[in-house]
C-alpha cells in the first residue's frame, strides 16, 4: 500500500479518492441535466467524437 499512498501517506491518498468520486458525481449530475434538457446522448455520436479525439482517421472518416 505504501507504493500507492506516496510520501504524504494514507490521508492524502484517501483525500484524492474522495475528490475523484466527487468529480464523478458532479459529472453524472451534469449529464443527467443535459439529457433532461436535450434528450439522451446518441451512442453513434459519442463513438464519432471519441474517434476524433483519439485521432482514429478511419473511424472519423466513416462517421463523416
Amino acid at each position: 500500500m505504501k507504493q500507492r499512498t506516496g510520501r504524504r501517506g494514507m490521508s492524502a491518498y484517501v483525500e484524492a479518492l474522495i475528490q475523484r468520486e466527487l468529480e464523478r458525481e458532479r459529472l453524472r449530475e451534469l449529464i443527467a441535466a443535459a439529457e433532461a434538457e436535450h434528450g439522451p446522448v446518441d451512442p453513434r455520436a459519442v463513438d464519432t467524437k471519441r474517434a476524433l479525439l483519439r485521432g482514429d482517421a478511419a473511424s472519423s472518416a466513416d462517421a463523416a
Side-chain angles (χ1 to χ4, degrees):
M1 184 55 103
K2 283 193 174 197
Q3 291 102 355
R4 290 185 182 205
T5 59
R7 289 183 357 165
R8 289 189 48 212
M10 184 63 76
S11 62
Y13 181 75
V14 171
E15 180 181 345
L17 290 174
I18 292 169
Q19 289 299 321
R20 280 194 298 272
E21 183 58 30
L22 292 172
E23 289 171 2
R24 288 182 185 119
E25 285 180 20
R26 182 65 181 135
L27 285 172
R28 284 191 291 270
E29 291 170 359
L30 291 170
I31 290 168
E35 286 184 339
E37 184 175 342
H38 303 286
V41 175
D42 176 9
R44 286 180 30 194
V46 172
D47 290 340
T48 300
K49 299 298 183 192
R50 185 175 287 135
L52 288 170
L53 289 171
R54 290 182 176 164
D56 184 357
S59 294
S60 59
D62 292 342

